[in-house]
């Protein structure tokens, strides 16, 4: 597997809480070798998978972490709010977003499609930039447990190395 794994931290921008304790983890080329995305996530206890698009507005999940893998096409995804990081993702790439991390699609190819999943098949909420929700959202984010498996590598992998100190 020829994969490049990087990570970066995001701070609360006043609109999106993000997660200053856990980095976003980017796996470039994770599924280039034809590894089946949904089956891989399921095998490593990242369940509740779905296939579709990424919203074109800032949103985040305060009650769970999320993995997204590009099944088809390519896109520019903005993570962390308006001043966040722009990620160029293409077929085979994956990202893990810690609870609270804002994300939105800026642009994509017509065939863009992702597979998403959550640790232990958690039911996710969808929060937008709403000051009235911030206090509750921040409290929820702090209580989301670190998963016990990397969504791609299982019991050993970059996510666990970066999230469990």
């Amino acid at each position: 597997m020829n994969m490049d794994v990087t990570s970066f931290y995001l701070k609360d921008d006043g609109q999106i809480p993000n997660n200053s304790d856990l980095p976003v983890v980017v796996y470039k080329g994770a599924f280039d070798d034809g590894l089946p995305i949904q089956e891989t996530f399921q095998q490593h206890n990242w369940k509740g998978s779905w296939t579709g698009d990424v919203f074109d507005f800032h949103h985040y999940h305060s009650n769970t972490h999320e993995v997204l893998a590009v099944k088809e096409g390519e896109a520019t995804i903005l993570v962390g709010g308006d001043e966040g990081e722009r990620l160029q993702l293409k077929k085979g790439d994956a990202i893990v977003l810690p609870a609270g991390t804002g994300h939105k699609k800026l642009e994509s190819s017509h065939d863009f499609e992702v597979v998403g999943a959550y640790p232990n098949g958690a039911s996710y909420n969808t929060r937008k930039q709403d000051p009235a929700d911030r206090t509750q959202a921040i409290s929820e984010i702090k209580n989301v447990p670190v998963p016990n498996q990397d969504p791609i590598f299982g019991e050993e992998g970059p996510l666990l190395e970066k999230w469990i100190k």
Side-chain angles (χ1 to χ4, degrees):
M1 189 181 296
N2 187 16
M3 183 185 330
D4 180 30
V5 179
T6 59
S7 64
F8 57 91
Y9 288 89
L10 295 165
K11 293 183 179 177
D12 187 327
D13 74 354
Q15 296 291 316
I16 303 284
N18 293 309
N19 194 318
S20 60
D21 295 329
L22 301 173
V24 172
V25 181
V26 181
Y27 303 76
K28 290 290 205 165
F31 294 96
D32 283 354
D33 294 341
L35 196 63
I37 297 171
Q38 286 177 295
E39 291 85 350
T40 300
F41 291 164
Q42 178 82 16
Q43 180 181 3
H44 298 129
N45 203 29
W46 286 68
K47 299 179 180 179
S49 65
W50 54 270
T51 301
D53 205 346
V54 175
F55 292 134
D56 61 357
F57 57 86
H58 289 296
H59 68 285
Y60 63 94
H61 312 295
S62 62
N63 64 339
T64 187
H65 310 296
E66 180 176 42
V67 61
L68 298 173
V70 182
K71 183 175 180 180
E72 292 294 334
E74 57 187 54
T76 303
I77 306 294
L78 179 61
V79 294
D82 288 329
E83 301 302 317
E85 298 282 331
R86 290 173 184 259
L87 300 177
Q88 303 296 323
L89 301 175
K90 64 178 181 50
K91 182 177 179 177
D93 295 343
I95 59 173
V96 177
L97 302 167
T101 302
H103 51 292
K104 87 178 213 179
K105 180 180 73 174
L106 296 177
E107 58 187 11
S108 68
S109 60
H110 72 282
D111 60 344
F112 178 67
E113 188 174 42
V114 295
V115 175
Y118 310 91
N120 303 313
S123 294
Y124 62 92
N125 61 18
T126 300
R127 294 190 179 268
K128 299 178 185 176
Q129 296 169 299
D130 184 352
D133 288 345
R134 282 184 59 78
T135 302
Q136 180 182 357
I138 290 169
S139 175
E140 289 172 352
I141 291 163
K142 291 178 188 222
N143 289 312
V144 175
V146 172
N148 61 3
Q149 292 197 49
D150 181 292
I152 299 164
F153 294 97
E155 293 178 1
E156 294 182 21
L159 182 76
L160 301 179
E161 293 168 10
K162 294 174 185 305
W163 282 17
I164 299 174
K165 297 167 174 73

